[in-house]
Amino acid sequence: MKVKILRTEDGELIDGEISEAKNKSINLPSISDHWRFNFKKHSQNKNTKTYILTLDHEEIIEGCLIFEMRDKVEPYMAYIEVAPHNKGKWKKLDRVAGCLIAFASRLSFIYGKKDYTGWLTFDVKEETGEERDKLMAVYSEKYKAVRINDTTIMFISPENGEWLINEYLNVR
């Protein structure tokens, strides 16, 4: 799927693509590549699909997503991460996470069954409670996710999923 990502140096929207990482020759990111998650390892689960976001005609992975169907009915965003060079004050690209979360929301409409159609759940896994709360605030404010009570679980409703899809995937 074609997407638009923001190049931070000049504020220009540039072409990117989200594609499934089916090809065994794709070198999925891992901890040894300075990523937080080991996508090589986590993509081995047969119930998951791994997606990468790259710029058009380039092989550098700008972000990665592992999507899972729990119990064959519940859409679940198992892992999501932007490349180390797209984090912090000096990031090269912006909108990478938004595009991947919107894509996962899109998948929740396609694969979710019965009452789960359009609902996307995920856990926020951080080392400290302070880091977890900070990240949950970002998910809430920027991506309209809602925390379930006092847990580490969040969800994106179908209405907010549609908003994300329109905001991040339907850019002209």
Side-chain angles (χ1 to χ4, degrees):
M1 164 172 267
K2 298 287 184 186
V3 295
K4 293 286 187 183
I5 313 178
L6 184 71
R7 187 170 49 213
T8 58
E9 71 181 42
D10 60 8
E12 184 178 338
L13 286 175
I14 58 174
D15 292 330
E17 183 173 7
I18 298 174
S19 58
E20 189 173 353
K22 289 182 184 178
N23 189 337
K24 299 281 187 203
S25 67
I26 293 175
N27 188 22
L28 289 174
S30 71
I31 294 167
S32 63
D33 303 316
H34 307 290
W35 286 60
R36 191 154 170 249
F37 299 117
N38 186 342
F39 286 93
K40 292 175 189 177
K41 177 181 134 189
H42 297 304
S43 68
Q44 304 297 320
N45 184 335
K46 66 178 181 154
N47 296 324
T48 64
K49 289 185 179 186
T50 303
Y51 297 91
I52 57 172
L53 191 153
T54 57
L55 296 180
D56 272 0
H57 312 294
E58 291 192 21
E59 294 181 15
I60 297 170
I61 296 174
E62 304 296 344
C64 199
L65 162 74
I66 295 182
F67 180 83
E68 178 180 344
M69 286 299 295
R70 290 190 161 173
D71 299 323
K72 299 182 181 178
V73 296
E74 180 187 357
Y76 181 73
M77 188 168 62
Y79 295 92
I80 183 169
E81 186 174 1
V82 299
H85 59 266
N86 291 326
K87 294 179 183 176
K89 185 177 180 180
W90 307 108
K91 62 184 164 190
K92 293 181 179 180
L93 301 171
D94 201 0
R95 296 178 48 93
V96 174
C99 287
L100 289 170
I101 294 167
F103 186 78
S105 291
R106 181 176 176 270
L107 294 175
S108 75
F109 283 99
I110 295 169
Y111 296 112
K113 304 289 187 233
K114 300 179 181 175
D115 291 340
Y116 293 101
T117 301
W119 292 90
L120 180 65
T121 59
F122 57 98
D123 285 284
V124 178
K125 304 168 187 170
E126 293 297 311
E127 294 194 19
T128 69
E130 183 179 329
E131 290 172 340
R132 179 200 63 224
D133 292 345
K134 184 178 176 183
L135 185 55
M136 286 180 143
V138 170
Y139 280 125
S140 294
E141 293 163 17
K142 199 166 182 180
Y143 307 113
K144 301 187 180 207
V146 176
R147 182 177 187 174
I148 297 177
N149 299 324
D150 197 27
T151 68
T152 61
I153 302 169
M154 298 190 84
F155 68 85
I156 296 173
S157 69
E159 297 80 17
N160 290 336
E162 286 181 14
W163 176 83
L164 285 168
I165 291 166
N166 287 327
E167 183 72 16
Y168 289 95
L169 300 183
N170 296 335
V171 177
R172 286 159 187 80

